Amino acid sequence: MIKLAIKSCAGVSLVFALSAFCRADPMAYVETGAANWGTLDLTTGAYSTIHNLGSLLSGIGGYGGGYYGGVYQGSEFYSVNASAGTLNAIGNSGFTYDDTGSTTSGVYGFSTSGELYSINPLTGAASHIGATGITVGGIVGMSSGGSNLYITCTGGGAGGVSGADNFYVINTSTGAATFLGITSPAAAIGAMADLSNTLYGGSDGTSRSLWTLDGSSGTPTDGGINTPLDGSFYWGLAAPTSTPEPFTMGLGMAGVGLFLRRRMKSKAASAN
């Protein structure tokens, strides 16, 4: 019985080890400046278009298993069907979106006048939080999915430098921005996403590239990888939900089944 139990556990361990091995590189959903929705391999930079959204969202906020965005330079709020790349109209937020982002606590909108709003993802209703102090202009990027809300903006304000690649953390209770640093040489970050506590930033510099950023300073922590996308800009970036991949789940269930079958055989043998 002991040997059978050990073999069963080893079988389960092997299945889960194979499951982890067979997982692909970390992926994110990306919206481009051409309103294309696609996937981005965060290790290789490979991009694949899923579908054109039909409307350009200001950015993407991933929250509660869904993906959301306010239309760029408009007030309409949408959810995104991630697998199909299509939009579902939810409501009107009553202000003009310049960007959309999220944290693990909710979805946020950044207005063309530099104000921060909390967005109800079920209705699109906006609750005004406060002024960020950021001068809206140039390239603006907002983060998605992490515990902190970050904004990049070349317009300056709130301690930043006009024309520089400014990196801010936002107080989601007051709206106030705190300048943390400059993202250079990762120029003009147009979108950010937090995946497993790693902050990725898509650069809209001379050539599109993807970087990992230090959340305390905005300083790049790697050399960046080339990500040409569809020839357009980074407009939104969001990590996938934590739902297990079907293949991984199937292997896990197979391991559990193997374990139970072995236990049943073991009991039958001891009964005889």
Side-chain angles (χ1 to χ4, degrees):
M1 285 182 65
I2 295 176
K3 289 184 178 179
L4 282 171
I6 291 174
K7 287 181 179 178
S8 298
C9 291
V12 173
S13 299
L14 176 60
V15 167
F16 280 103
L18 286 171
S19 164
F21 178 78
C22 291
R23 287 178 182 171
D25 292 337
M27 305 289 289
Y29 289 111
V30 61
E31 180 201 14
T32 75
N36 283 323
W37 178 264
T39 57
L40 181 68
D41 186 312
L42 299 176
T43 300
T44 67
Y47 165 80
S48 177
T49 297
I50 295 175
H51 196 263
N52 187 276
L53 294 172
S55 293
L56 182 62
L57 301 184
S58 57
I60 300 296
Y63 175 70
Y67 302 91
Y68 306 93
V71 71
Y72 181 59
Q73 300 290 304
S75 57
E76 297 81 11
F77 184 74
Y78 295 88
S79 64
V80 182
N81 181 322
S83 60
T86 56
L87 296 179
N88 175 57
I90 293 179
N92 193 295
S93 299
F95 71 91
T96 304
Y97 281 93
D98 194 79
D99 213 332
T100 307
S102 67
T103 66
T104 52
S105 299
V107 180
Y108 298 90
F110 182 58
S111 77
T112 53
S113 57
E115 303 288 320
L116 185 71
Y117 293 82
S118 174
I119 311 298
N120 183 327
L122 299 179
T123 65
S127 298
H128 180 252
I129 296 176
T132 62
I134 295 173
T135 302
V136 180
I139 302 296
V140 176
M142 209 166 181
S143 66
S144 171
S147 57
N148 292 323
L149 184 66
Y150 299 103
I151 289 180
T152 53
C153 182
T154 56
V161 180
S162 178
D165 300 310
N166 302 295
F167 181 77
Y168 305 88
V169 64
I170 308 299
N171 185 320
T172 55
S173 296
T174 66
T178 298
F179 173 70
L180 297 179
I182 304 294
T183 63
S184 179
I189 297 294
M192 294 170 284
D194 189 301
L195 179 61
S196 301
N197 295 316
T198 298
L199 184 63
Y200 294 88
S203 169
D204 290 333
T206 304
S207 60
R208 310 295 170 260
S209 53
L210 184 73
W211 305 70
T212 56
L213 305 174
D214 185 330
S216 65
S217 64
T219 304
T221 59
D222 64 5
I225 56 174
N226 187 41
T227 55
L229 300 180
D230 56 3
S232 185
F233 298 99
Y234 279 97
W235 219 262
L237 193 64
T241 63
S242 58
T243 304
E245 299 171 12
F247 181 64
T248 301
M249 185 181 293
L251 284 173
M253 293 304 294
V256 173
L258 173 64
F259 175 75
L260 291 176
R261 285 195 298 273
R262 296 248 178 151
R263 286 293 299 273
M264 290 174 68
K265 289 181 179 179
S266 174
K267 287 183 178 180
S270 63
N272 294 330

